[in-house]
Every structure is written in C-alpha cells, then in structure tokens.
C-alpha cells in the first residue's frame, strides 16, 4: 500500500492531539527492553489500533502502544512493540512508524533489539552498539514512489548509525556492569532462526550479530535524516556456535535477565543526548 504524505500527517496529528507534549527522543523497545515503558514518569499511552494509517503488532510479547513520558528530564515517546517483515507486512509498510515519529518532531531515534551473537568473543547478555549493518534480502522499505517531504530518492548510508550518538553510548558504557561492544548487525527476515551455514557466511561477511528487525527502521531514519543510535542485546549465541539448538525460551530468559541493567544503561544515554 502506498501512503501519501497527508496520510502520515493524519497519523501524527491524531497522536499529537492526545500526547502530553512534543517528544524530544523516540525509542523503539525490542524484546530486551519491554519493561522500560513501565518506568516512564507520568506515562500516557496510545494504542496502535486507534492511530489512523498505523500498523498493528502481532507479536504476543509486544504491548502495541505508543507511550509518552519523561526519562531524567527528557521528553520521550516509546514504541512498545515494533513491526517485522515476518509478521506479513510488506517492506514498504515498515516505513510507517519511523516516518510518523519524524513528524512528531523527535530529534533522535534509539532502536533496541534482541540479537544472536555471531562474533565468538561475545556472550549472552552482552550489548552491541551498531556501527553498521548488512542487508542482503533484496527489497527495500523505500521502494516505490519517493515522498520528497521525507527525503531524496537516492540517499547516503555512510553515517546511518550517527557517530556522535555512538560516542555517547561508548562513554556511558564505562558506568555499567554490562559488557558493551561495537559491531555490525546482519538482517535476516525470520521468523525461523538462521542456519549454522548462514551464520558461518555472516561471520565471513563481517557480521558480529544477527537479527530480524531494526534495519528497515534504520533505512527509514537515514532517508529522512533522523539521527540514530541502535543497540543489540545478545540473547543467545547464533546457530552452530554452540551444540544445542536455539529456542525462543532462551531468548526470552536472557532478555528478562538483562532488562534492568540494560534499561539503566539506556537511561544514562538518554540523559546525555
């Protein structure tokens, strides 16, 4: 489905009529940061289902709400639940949330996700600041007619993951018990986990972690000139690194264990941006 600029604006206008303030920062809460929205000060929630021209999450563990609140004095909006290609959405539909956030006036976007560790020096519970990504799946979310109100037809990807925001995240790593790396994320469509052969190929290509989200959002942010920071929590070692098979339960257990220190780390970053 091709949206007009007016349809995006309708969604943003609906949200702003119900929001308590114009947000400074937007955060997409991955599986590793679900409880974060509950910790916002004076939260106000808007259900995705009520927003005109928006999407609806189908992942059971995702709340499916925009949550406005403050974090250490900063006005933020959290997407509690994100959208994935494996849910059945077209790539072109996956631009919708980030474009709406852009129209809300946010000055930076933070993406978080749960990922599988490809780099064998990483361990479950480690965090990776994304410095770049690899996407070899073909279609782009920016396919189709370009909307110049958001950005140009052809756009640069050299500094998609904003160096200044990555520097803030590196500085904040000194104050956390978490082990924080910086590396390359490789996008796979899912919902199946990657095969051991795919992980070996990813490692040869230079990937440090793999996952099923984030990259479509990052592409949309790059197109509309939105400064971006992305953080991955290693919830498991990727397929073939260890002898046991991968399970969603393992991912969930690590995400739950790491949620509190990771949330504190993200709050430090928000305070410094």
């Amino acid at each position: 489905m091709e949206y007009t600029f007016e349809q995006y604006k309708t969604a943003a206008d609906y949200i702003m009529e119900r929001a308590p303030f114009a947000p400074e920062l937007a955060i997409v809460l991955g599986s590793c940061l679900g409880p974060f929205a509950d910790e916002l000060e004076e939260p106000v929630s808007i259900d995705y289902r009520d927003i005109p021209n928006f999407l609806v999450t189908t992942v059971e563990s995702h709340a499916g709400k925009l949550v406005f609140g403050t974090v250490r004095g900063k006005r933020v909006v959290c997407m509690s639940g994100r959208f994935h290609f494996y849910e059945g959405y077209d790539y072109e539909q996956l631009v919708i949330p980030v474009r709406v956030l852009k129209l809300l006036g946010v000055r930076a976007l933070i993406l978080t996700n749960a990922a599988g560790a490809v780099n064998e020096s990483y361990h479950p519970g480690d965090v990776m600041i994304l410095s770049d990504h690899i996407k070899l799946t073909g279609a782009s979310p920016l396919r189709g007619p370009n909307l110049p109100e958001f950005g140009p037809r052809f756009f640069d990807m050299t500094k998609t993951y904003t160096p200044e925001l990555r520097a803030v995240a590196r500085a904040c790593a000194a104050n956390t018990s978490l082990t924080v790396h910086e590396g390359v994320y490789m996008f796979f469509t899912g919902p199946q986990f990657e095969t051991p052969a795919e992980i070996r190929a990813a490692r040869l290509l230079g990937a440090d972690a793999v996952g099923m989200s984030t990259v479509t959002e990052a592409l949309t942010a790059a197109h509309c000139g939105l400064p971006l920071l992305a953080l991955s929590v290693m919830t498991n070692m990727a397929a073939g690194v260890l002898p046991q098979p991968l399970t969603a339960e393992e991912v969930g257990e690590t995400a739950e264990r790491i949620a509190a220190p990771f949330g504190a780390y993200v709050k430090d970053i928000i305070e410094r941006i």
Side-chain angles (χ1 to χ4, degrees), residues 13 84 138 141 160 167 177 179 185 189 197 208 248-249 251 253 256 266:
D13 288 346
H84 309 78
T160 298
S177 60
T179 299
Y185 177 97
T189 59
D208 296 292
E249 289 74 22
V251 172
E253 288 169 4
E256 183 176 352
V266 172

Side-chain angles (χ1 to χ4, degrees), residues 201-241:
R203 187 179 296 116
L204 286 171
L205 289 170
D208 296 292
V210 294
M212 306 172 192
S213 68
T214 300
V215 168
T216 54
E217 297 153 340
L219 289 168
T220 309
H223 178 248
C224 65
L226 189 57
L228 174 67
L229 175 69
L231 304 167
S232 293
V233 169
M234 302 300 111
T235 50
N236 56 280
M237 301 305 292
V241 177

Side-chain angles (χ1 to χ4, degrees), residues 25-162:
L25 303 173
I27 311 165
V28 177
L29 306 180
S31 304
C32 50
L33 207 56
F36 190 86
D38 298 331
E39 300 173 10
L40 298 182
E41 298 174 25
E42 300 180 1
V44 173
S45 299
I46 301 173
D47 197 301
Y48 292 166
R49 293 180 181 274
D50 296 332
I51 302 172
N53 309 318
F54 212 67
L55 303 178
V56 178
T57 184
T58 66
V59 179
E60 291 183 5
S61 61
H62 289 208
K65 295 180 179 181
L66 281 181
V67 186
F68 290 79
T70 58
V71 175
R72 299 186 182 176
K74 295 287 178 64
R75 299 185 301 275
V76 304
V77 57
C78 295
M79 280 188 61
S80 186
R82 59 147 47 96
F83 309 102
H84 309 78
F85 180 73
Y86 67 70
E87 295 178 70
Y89 290 116
D90 294 331
Y91 277 113
E92 294 88 338
Q93 292 177 286
L94 298 177
V95 301
I96 293 171
V98 173
R99 285 182 168 177
V100 171
L101 293 173
K102 172 73 174 180
L103 292 178
L104 295 182
V106 299
R107 58 183 177 87
L109 172 64
I110 300 174
L111 304 175
T112 67
N113 65 57
V118 175
N119 189 318
E120 293 177 304
S121 70
Y122 291 9
H123 300 93
D126 289 1
V127 173
M128 186 183 81
I129 303 165
L130 272 67
S131 59
D132 207 341
H133 73 244
I134 300 169
K135 174 187 170 299
L136 301 178
T137 55
S140 167
L142 282 307
R143 189 183 72 153
N146 184 57
L147 292 181
E149 295 92 341
F150 289 111
R153 169 79 288 182
F154 304 105
F155 56 100
D156 182 56
M157 294 289 294
T158 306
K159 295 182 179 179
T160 298
Y161 301 94
T162 307

Side-chain angles (χ1 to χ4, degrees), residues 125-126 172-180 258 260-262 265:
D126 289 1
C172 290
N175 302 321
T176 179
S177 60
L178 299 167
T179 299
V180 180
I258 208 68
F262 185 57
Y265 175 54

